[in-house]
Amino acid sequence: NLSAKVHPLVIFNICDCYVRRPDQAERVIGTLLGSVLPDGTVDIRNSYAVPHTESAEQVALDIEYHHNMLVSHQKVNPKEVIVGWYSTGLGVTGGSALIHDFYSREVPNPVHLTVDTGFRNGEGTIKAYVSVNLALGDRQLAAQFQEIPLDLRMVEAERLGFDILKTTAVDKLPNDLEGMEVTMQRLLALIDDVYKYVDDVVVRKLAPSPSIFFLFVTIAFCYNVCS
């Protein structure tokens, strides 16, 4: 009967961490914070990414960083405790059991939240799981992830933000050179508008405007700084 409720801020935070992830990382892993409500619902209200390395055979978390972040968060929100962990991607992966085992030592019955940051088909697939032990008699055989109901309630403003996030998915932030290139392209487009405006003023198609003149001076200054 276990269920979970996740606040939109958590999803936005996870997507932001994914975009800012290290170049060599294929996904982001992190800790979920919140509380367990009286009816047993796991209320997920906050999160933070935890540096990790992984290969086909093993996954290693930066446990010291995780504990330092937890202490820092609880200084601000002492009522928020660990309720589970998250990973980006579609569904459970091979190394999930190892990470879940670590969080099982941090908190009883942690929730595993998966967020599809690729927004396949324009939809962000978000699911929650818990680990269920499979046993034969008194002998424990293995642990299996079982999906649980997940409530993602949003007010209208949050829904609009989430819809925009789905339609403008970005895999990585541009590096410094790429960012400079985009900035220069925009400045050059503005300078073309300046030339057109000046030509229109000269042939008396438009009246000169002091406010527009100062705007053009600002554009020229920005161009000189960037170049």
Side-chain angles (χ1 to χ4, degrees):
N1 295 327
L2 186 65
S3 63
K5 178 173 67 174
V6 59
H7 292 239
L9 177 62
V10 175
I11 305 302
F12 297 148
N13 185 34
I14 292 173
C15 291
D16 180 70
C17 291
Y18 175 77
V19 172
R20 300 175 187 276
R21 74 193 185 281
D23 292 335
Q24 69 274 14
E26 295 184 0
R27 64 171 179 164
V28 177
I29 292 170
T31 301
L32 298 174
L33 301 175
S35 61
V36 179
L37 302 180
D39 62 356
T41 301
V42 179
D43 186 24
I44 305 170
R45 297 194 298 270
N46 211 335
S47 66
Y48 57 85
V50 177
H52 78 289
T53 57
E54 61 181 315
S55 62
E57 299 177 353
Q58 63 181 5
V59 180
L61 293 176
D62 190 335
I63 298 177
E64 182 178 359
Y65 178 90
H66 156 69
H67 287 150
N68 290 338
M69 286 294 293
L70 177 62
V71 171
S72 298
H73 272 268
Q74 290 187 328
K75 287 181 180 178
V76 180
N77 297 302
K79 293 184 179 180
E80 289 186 355
V81 298
I82 298 175
V83 293
W85 66 286
Y86 73 80
S87 66
T88 57
L90 193 60
V92 178
T93 63
S96 297
L98 296 175
I99 305 173
H100 200 82
D101 182 63
F102 164 74
Y103 279 94
S104 295
R105 297 193 295 270
E106 298 284 286
V107 59
N109 202 19
V111 172
H112 175 31
L113 186 74
T114 62
V115 179
D116 176 23
T117 49
F119 292 98
R120 294 167 178 81
N121 301 320
E123 294 295 330
T125 303
I126 305 169
K127 295 185 178 182
Y129 303 86
V130 292
S131 179
V132 178
N133 292 325
L134 301 179
L136 180 61
D138 295 333
R139 181 182 178 185
Q140 182 174 329
L141 301 178
Q144 180 184 37
F145 284 100
Q146 182 177 17
E147 186 176 354
I148 62 174
L150 179 66
D151 183 10
L152 179 58
R153 292 186 180 181
M154 301 185 186
V155 299
E156 186 61 25
E158 293 169 335
R159 174 63 62 182
L160 289 173
F162 186 67
D163 291 340
I164 293 173
L165 184 66
K166 291 190 297 184
T167 57
T168 58
V170 177
D171 183 62
K172 289 287 290 182
L173 288 177
N175 58 36
D176 292 341
L177 183 60
E178 293 169 340
M180 178 63 74
E181 182 181 0
V182 172
T183 301
M184 293 299 294
Q185 289 174 349
R186 292 177 179 174
L187 281 174
L188 290 173
L190 289 173
I191 290 174
D192 289 339
D193 292 340
V194 170
Y195 281 124
K196 184 178 183 304
Y197 173 79
V198 172
D199 290 340
D200 290 342
V201 170
V202 170
V203 300
R204 299 180 182 276
K205 289 178 63 175
L206 292 174
S209 170
S211 60
I212 295 180
F213 171 77
F214 285 115
L215 175 62
F216 291 162
V217 171
T218 303
I219 293 173
F221 174 78
C222 292
Y223 179 77
N224 289 330
V225 171
C226 291
S227 58

